[in-house]
Amino acid sequence: MNSLKLSLFLILSCSFATFAEKVLSENLYTFFSIFNGYYSNKVQRVVDELDAEVEDEHDGISVIWRPVEIAAFPDNWTLYLEQSVNGVINRMNILIYSEDEFGVIHGQVLNVKQPIDYKPKQYEYADLTNVELESPTPQPECEVLFTWLEKNVIVGSYPDCISKNNRRTPAPYSFTVTCQTFTAFVCSPSTFEIFARLPYIFYKKRRYELPAQWTEGINFTVPCNF
């Protein structure tokens, strides 16, 4: 009888531990709430054409950062990234996020296998759940890092996970994220995007809801009055 009670206790303990590990922290909840959406630098492109004194030029870029549950990684916090440069798909990634004891947010990058004739923004949420990956293993040299500058302001770096020559060099992209915008400074002239003196400036055009399973049972304050 005692043996049966012990076995039952261990089963319940393990089940509770597994559930606890999947609870979204307030830090990650705020991060995903702010840094998600469909973004474009269309406004900046207009300024580039009008401001002859600066003589700066930026590619036309749209970016999707969408929290999504991936069937292959049910115990992880995952986000879909899609970047189009001048109408051409440049990046399709799944990022697996975690945070360390100091509140720094780490992202591991997985490449999505791009379907033939895929058009920007074609994937719906249901498509992303079972999206096909080039490899289920993250690239070891491609870790994304974010930390907090102040309330609702995030800074971070993003490595070049496309060019094999750049993976071991310092991260060529530097980010600052606010409630409605993010900027990306291209720190290297060897990236796919045009190297510009001013950072790329993106405005949020659409915001996505977090997956319902992530927010079930939590009661955090929604940032930025979303």
Side-chain angles (χ1 to χ4, degrees):
M1 182 60 121
N2 290 336
S3 176
L4 178 60
K5 288 182 178 179
L6 178 60
S7 298
L8 180 60
F9 173 77
L10 290 174
I11 291 172
L12 291 174
S13 298
C14 291
S15 299
F16 178 79
T18 301
F19 175 79
E21 289 173 1
K22 295 176 66 174
V23 175
L24 191 65
S25 70
E26 186 171 9
N27 197 37
L28 282 173
Y29 171 79
T30 304
F31 173 79
F32 284 123
S33 297
I34 294 175
F35 199 22
N36 90 70
Y38 170 66
Y39 295 83
S40 168
N41 73 328
K42 185 177 180 179
V43 173
Q44 183 177 43
R45 293 268 290 171
V46 173
V47 175
D48 284 347
E49 294 180 4
L50 296 176
D51 194 344
E53 293 185 15
V54 175
E55 294 184 351
D56 210 6
E57 184 179 359
H58 298 80
D59 282 316
I61 298 178
S62 62
V63 185
I64 294 173
W65 300 88
R66 184 167 190 174
V68 60
E69 286 204 316
I70 303 298
F73 305 100
D75 298 326
N76 297 104
W77 312 114
T78 44
L79 183 148
Y80 172 67
L81 164 65
E82 180 181 305
Q83 180 203 42
S84 300
V85 180
N86 302 321
V88 178
I89 297 289
N90 182 41
R91 286 183 175 83
M92 295 177 72
N93 299 133
I94 293 296
L95 292 100
I96 301 175
Y97 282 102
S98 61
E99 66 174 318
D100 62 28
E101 59 182 312
F102 301 102
V104 176
I105 296 171
H106 301 249
Q108 305 297 323
V109 181
L110 297 165
N111 290 326
V112 173
K113 187 174 292 186
Q114 183 176 337
I116 298 174
D117 298 327
Y118 179 85
K119 301 294 190 299
K121 298 193 296 179
Q122 182 175 319
Y123 272 147
E124 298 294 336
Y125 186 91
D127 301 317
L128 294 172
T129 300
N130 293 293
V131 71
E132 187 175 2
L133 302 171
E134 291 183 357
S135 170
T137 306
Q139 305 171 51
E141 305 91 356
C142 284
E143 183 178 49
V144 181
L145 293 174
F146 289 100
T147 191
W148 299 93
L149 181 62
E150 57 183 53
K151 182 179 179 180
N152 297 338
V153 180
I154 308 162
V155 293
S157 64
Y158 203 113
D160 183 354
C161 299
I162 298 177
S163 171
K164 294 181 179 181
N165 295 328
N166 291 332
R167 287 183 188 172
R168 298 185 181 278
T169 62
Y173 305 103
S174 175
F175 285 84
T176 301
V177 186
T178 67
C179 293
Q180 298 294 343
T181 66
F182 81 86
T183 66
F185 186 69
V186 179
C187 308
S188 169
S190 63
T191 58
F192 184 86
E193 303 83 358
I194 290 177
F195 178 67
R197 293 191 295 163
L198 288 173
Y200 283 77
I201 302 173
F202 300 90
Y203 290 94
K204 187 177 293 186
K205 303 297 182 182
R206 176 186 175 185
R207 181 174 177 270
Y208 302 102
E209 295 297 325
L210 302 189
Q213 295 90 334
W214 294 13
T215 58
E216 185 176 356
I218 64 175
N219 190 29
F220 300 134
T221 301
V222 180
C224 305
N225 297 317
F226 287 140

